[in-house]
């Protein structure tokens, strides 16, 4: 089990990526507190599960100060018999006026993979914006069909779509990090 | 904003009606035997009740959701029977009860016009009329006690099959002490054009209400059932714990609409579940305004290919209220689809929680589901939570969940105010607009009533 504690202070901006490809950690807990006014946190989670991988990824983001902003982006692709468990809590405490908390997870499942997602919100303040969105599914049939009509095999088309699937989250990271992760992804798809 | 005076409760009147018979406070095996013998039930039903009672004692109350620690099961009357016999015609219904209906405001014309009015007063349905049209179509629409006498085979076949007593502590409680509720059977390919309605209210101090509703829609049929309730104010806590079981057979469609406006001391803990077979369509429309604590998650179990389920949930929590509501959809079969939409409003320190479950079992290929919850928080004292769970065990699915929480938009308010509309009036309009997608699914008179209630909650006055 791995615990990651993050504290974001006044006007501080943090981007915390967590990449799980061929990983060994089976449970990761992120606890983040935004304690100073104007604190800004972005959590990025990228996951590729295969075989009998089983991952628990929990994020718990607490907004304690006014005008704090948090974004959690999770993208995961799971093959074979892999299992993904994801609890995402965004808590806006009393007094965190003008806070903005968002949680998004997108999961692609293949084969016998299983996914469980609980994106929760606890809101004690009324001057705020908070939301979450989660999707679970497989690659869009129309996209697959389009690529196949251009002569790609089903496997190739899938691979292309999956690598594109991670792009929006990757673009939030630094250039070097992006290159590193892309290479890692290509090897593992 | 104009403050809402909480002691003002429009339906907070209390008739002096003397119960003909009621059990002692508290729950023992003796109570259950008494209820069963009072109702002259067959032995097998007593057996079910006693088994359920044992389950009730063995199970624990849920620790999640609302605060149930103040709920005292020993302070509740489990059975109260208001009149000796069932009113067959309107003239036979006792005057006090008619007065109550006048106060609730069932229009005169509606009483005659509606296909059937089952009015539950205390634990038993006292007035029940079935129009000739329904009888001619072979539709059964009676209270569940009568159904047990007249159609024992139907009950034997379906009672407790969709929600077994072992499901949860409160379902066990209801099974042990149930009384009243509606029993509906719609034969094959019969379409019931008018919504079937049941008005009921709790009307004896400290009394629990445990109605049991069973709806069977046979292949290709359609029925819309509407329940709406208002209750008088009591000083001590009351419990309402109903069980609603619905079976939607192949190609049938059932819509179940609830407007719940219990007075603010009632615990409203209800289990509702629908089994939907092949190509069937089941819908829950659930509006929760009253009670101190509501825990209710209407569920659709999509059992057959191409079954569809929909849950529309609306919650409004004012001072000292907690609405823990939501919906569940479980996909067992391929090509099934479900939609859950929830809208909640919290105000004056009220708390709303959306709690939901979406589950897709392996083999339910090409299933689709969309869950959408929106919450409005009107002041800094109030609270809103969202706890959705999604468990997906099948790869060929399309699942989406979205939630958003916000206050009333400054720009929206500004727009209204720039047009000369007061802040209070603007807030009412914005809240009404926010819940409109659910309100428009209600029958007209309920939509009117609901808008009126929201307005009352928001400003303390109608008009």
């Amino acid at each position: 089990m791995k615990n990651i504690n993050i504290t974001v202070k006044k006007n501080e901006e943090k981007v915390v990526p967590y990449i799980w490809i061929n990983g060994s950690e089976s449970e990761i807990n992120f606890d983040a507190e935004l304690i100073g006014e104007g604190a800004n946190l972005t959590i990025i989670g990228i996951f590729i599960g295969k075989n009998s991988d089983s991952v628990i990824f929990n994020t718990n983001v607490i907004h304690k100060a006014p005008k704090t902003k948090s974004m959690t982006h999770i993208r995961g692709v799971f093959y074979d018999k892999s299992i993904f468990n994801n609890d995402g809590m965004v808590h806006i405490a009393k007094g965190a006026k003008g806070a903005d908390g968002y949680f998004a997870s997108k999961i692609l499942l293949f084969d016998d993979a299983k996914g469980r997602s609980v994106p929760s919100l606890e809101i004690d303040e009324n001057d705020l914006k908070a939301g979450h969105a989660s999707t679970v599914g497989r690659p869009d049939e129309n996209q697959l069909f389009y690529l196949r009509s251009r002569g790609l095999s089903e496997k190739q088309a899938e691979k292309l779509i999956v690598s594109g699937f991670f792009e929006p989250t990757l673009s939030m990271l630094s250039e070097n990090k992006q290159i590193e992760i892309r290479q890692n992804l290509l090897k593992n798809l | 904003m104009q403050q809402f005076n909480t002691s003002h409760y429009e339906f907070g009147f209390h008739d002096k009606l003397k119960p003909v018979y009621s059990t002692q406070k508290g729950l023992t095996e003796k109570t259950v035997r008494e209820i069963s013998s009072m109702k002259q039930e067959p032995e097998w039903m007593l057996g079910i009740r006693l088994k359920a009672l044992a389950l009730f004692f063995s199970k624990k109350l849920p620790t999640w959701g609302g605060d149930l620690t103040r709920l005292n099961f020993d302070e509740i009357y489990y059975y109260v029977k208001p009149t000796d016999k069932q009113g067959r015609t309107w003239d036979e219904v006792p005057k006090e009860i008619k007065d109550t209906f006048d106060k609730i405001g069932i229009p005169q014309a509606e009483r005659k016009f509606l296909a059937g009015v089952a009015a539950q007063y205390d634990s038993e349905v006292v007035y029940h009329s079935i129009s000739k049209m329904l009888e001619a179509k072979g539709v059964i629409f009676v209270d569940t006690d009568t159904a047990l006498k007249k159609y024992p085979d139907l009950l034997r076949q379906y009672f407790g099959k969709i929600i077994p007593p072992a499901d949860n502590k409160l379902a066990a409680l209801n099974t042990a002490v149930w009384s009243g509720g509606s029993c509906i059977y719609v034969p094959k390919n019969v379409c019931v054009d008018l919504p079937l309605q049941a008005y009921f209210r709790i009307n004896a101090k400290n009394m629990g209400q445990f109605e049991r509703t069973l709806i069977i829609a046979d292949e290709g049929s359609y029925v819309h059932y509407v329940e709406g309730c208002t209750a008088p104010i009591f000083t001590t806590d009351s419990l309402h714990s109903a069980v609603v079981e619905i079976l939607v057979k192949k190609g049938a469609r059932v819509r179940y609409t609830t407007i719940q406006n219990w007075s603010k001391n009632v615990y409203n803990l209800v289990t509702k579940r629908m089994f939907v077979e092949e190509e069937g369509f089941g819908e829950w429309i659930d509006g929760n305004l009253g009670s101190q604590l509501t825990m209710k998650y209407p569920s659709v179990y999509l059992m057959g290919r191409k079954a569809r389920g929909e849950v529309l949930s609306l919650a409004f929590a004012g001072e000292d209220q907690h609405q823990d509501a939501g919906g569940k959809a479980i996909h067992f079969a391929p090509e099934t689809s479900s939609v859950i939409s929830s809208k909640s409003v919290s105000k004056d320190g009220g708390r709303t929680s959306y709690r939901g479950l979406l589950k897709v079992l392996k083999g339910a290929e090409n299933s689709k589901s969309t869950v959408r919850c929106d919450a409005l928080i009107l002041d800094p004292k109030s609270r809103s939570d969202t706890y959705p769970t999604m468990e997906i065990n099948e790869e060929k699915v399309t699942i989406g969940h979205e939630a958003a929480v916000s206050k009333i938009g400054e720009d929206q308010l500004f727009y209204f105010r720039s047009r000369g509309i007061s802040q209070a009036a603007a807030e009412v309009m914005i809240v009404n607009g926010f819940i409109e997608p659910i309100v428009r699914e209600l029958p007209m008179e309920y939509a009117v009533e609901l808008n009126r209630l929201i307005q009352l909650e928001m400003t303390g006055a109608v008009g």
Side-chain angles (χ1 to χ4, degrees), chain A residues 94 109 111-112 114-127 130-138, chain B residues 362 377-380 383-393 395-397 399-405 407:
Chain A
K94 210 172 261 319
L109 295 179
D111 315 312
D112 289 327
K114 291 178 184 176
R116 184 174 165 279
S117 174
V118 187
S120 308
L121 295 172
E122 284 185 354
I123 315 291
D124 283 323
E125 176 56 53
N126 82 314
D127 183 4
H132 58 223
S134 295
T135 61
V136 183
R138 49 178 286 112
Chain B
K362 188 79 201 162
I377 307 185
L378 298 182
D379 54 55
R383 173 171 175 181
S384 171
D385 311 309
T386 312
Y387 306 105
T389 302
M390 292 190 282
E391 281 180 46
I392 316 297
N393 297 339
E395 47 130 1
K396 289 184 190 146
V397 291
I399 307 291
H401 172 98
E402 255 184 282
V405 183
K407 62 170 180 171

Side-chain angles (χ1 to χ4, degrees), chain A residues 3-65:
Chain A
N3 291 314
I4 299 169
N5 294 308
I6 305 160
T7 311
V8 192
K9 297 188 187 112
K10 193 173 173 180
N11 294 328
E12 201 180 3
E13 205 175 322
K14 274 188 182 169
V15 179
V16 187
Y18 189 84
I19 318 296
W20 201 99
I21 300 170
N22 286 328
S24 55
E25 260 340 307
S26 61
E27 187 176 342
I28 304 106
N29 297 308
F30 259 78
D31 276 299
E33 287 189 334
L34 290 92
I35 55 168
E37 190 170 337
N40 190 332
L41 173 68
T42 306
I43 297 174
I44 289 168
I46 288 175
F47 295 85
I48 296 181
K50 286 178 181 173
N51 307 319
S52 56
D53 286 344
S54 172
V55 197
I56 300 171
F57 186 68
N58 299 325
T59 58
N60 186 10
V61 179
I62 306 173
H63 290 251
K64 290 187 168 171

